[in-house]
Amino acid sequence: MARRGPTREERMDALILLMETLSFPLSDSVRAGYSHRGVQNAQHMGGHISCLMDLCAWTSQEFNLGMDEKLLCSLVRNHDRHKAVRLDEPRVKGQTDENPISTVGRLIRRFISAGFSAHEREEELQAALEFVSPSFQPDVPKIDGEIEDALTLYFFRKGKGKKEAQFVHDMGQVMDAHVAFWYAAAGRMEVTSYNIRSFADRLNDRIEHKIAKLYWQQVKARYLSMLKTVYRRPSRALAQ
């Protein structure tokens, strides 16, 4: 009898364990959230980018997704550059209060209820370019051009490369929730509705790539007990 190979779910579980063993511990700060969650400075962005690079590369290879590896690398490396420059400020124009909890909460609720409209993506793209471009022009125009191209593709996910851009966006969305669970399970972040639910709420509706959906499915199964603390029952937690 031929030996059965690992299922898609088993392969994803192995990748999740690999991330939690080799990649997540490389970041000393809580990636998921602003300073009130324990982030001390912008160093956590480097940890986030390197973790997402591992996740996207390993997943693409394991599932033979046929991604453009050079483009994938550019998208992961550059997708959060504006956050690194802006440090710990909420991504809302004009909102730079010392305590951004309520502002970020409103932003999350608005995006969850309405989705990311083209207008909202255009606003965030322009804000990102405004913060990043002065750091590069005119000294390194090639790098600045790569960052602008990657950010534009990431925010709009249209045209050539949209498959890779959607993949990076969706895997990053799930990884944010995954890291939050991982830190909470380690006792390094409090399990609250705000800390967990803001990442998990309707996440399955906010991502499109089938592998990202598989990733989220397996993360939910792994941390179901934690999800139940904020959604109260398994069916509601798994529906996210």
Side-chain angles (χ1 to χ4, degrees), residues 71 153 156-167:
L71 178 58
L153 182 56
F156 290 108
R157 300 188 285 284
K158 294 179 180 178
K160 185 177 181 181
K162 66 179 181 180
K163 176 178 69 173
E164 285 82 359
Q166 189 70 53
F167 177 65

Side-chain angles (χ1 to χ4, degrees), residues 9-127:
E9 289 76 14
E10 289 169 340
R11 290 156 68 193
M12 182 56 74
D13 285 340
L15 286 171
I16 287 171
L17 180 59
L18 192 63
M19 289 298 298
E20 294 186 354
T21 303
L22 298 181
S23 298
F24 289 178
L26 294 177
S27 176
D28 291 331
S29 303
V30 177
R31 164 65 185 92
Y34 295 92
S35 57
H36 63 281
R37 283 181 175 147
V39 177
Q40 299 301 315
N41 52 48
Q43 296 300 316
H44 69 293
M45 291 310 307
H48 168 73
I49 290 169
S50 63
C51 287
L52 187 57
M53 188 78 76
D54 287 343
L55 176 64
C56 288
W58 291 341
T59 304
S60 177
Q61 292 167 17
E62 178 63 29
F63 289 93
N64 299 313
L65 299 181
M67 296 286 178
D68 181 327
E69 297 296 333
K70 183 177 180 180
L71 178 58
L72 201 65
C73 181
S74 177
L75 285 163
V76 174
R77 187 171 62 242
N78 293 307
H79 79 285
D80 267 341
R81 291 294 186 198
H82 62 305
K83 292 183 190 175
V85 174
R86 294 187 69 176
L87 302 181
D88 213 21
E89 295 177 11
R91 289 183 292 163
V92 183
K93 185 177 181 180
Q95 298 288 339
T96 57
D97 297 334
E98 291 183 5
N99 185 2
I101 296 177
S102 60
T103 299
V104 175
R106 287 196 300 273
L107 178 67
I108 290 170
R109 287 192 295 273
R110 179 165 63 88
F111 280 2
I112 287 174
S113 63
F116 286 86
S117 70
H119 177 66
E120 288 163 338
R121 292 199 300 271
E122 173 69 27
E123 285 185 341
E124 189 164 2
L125 171 62
Q126 291 306 314

Side-chain angles (χ1 to χ4, degrees), residues 125-177:
L125 171 62
Q126 291 306 314
L129 295 176
E130 286 174 10
F131 274 95
V132 171
S133 293
S135 301
F136 293 94
Q137 293 178 335
D139 298 328
V140 280
K142 288 185 178 179
I143 296 175
D144 183 67
E146 182 205 350
I147 291 173
E148 181 170 352
D149 290 345
L151 285 174
T152 301
L153 182 56
Y154 178 80
F155 278 108
F156 290 108
R157 300 188 285 284
K158 294 179 180 178
K160 185 177 181 181
K162 66 179 181 180
K163 176 178 69 173
E164 285 82 359
Q166 189 70 53
F167 177 65
V168 169
H169 172 270
D170 289 359
M171 295 299 280
Q173 290 274 299
V174 181
M175 195 186 80
D176 278 349

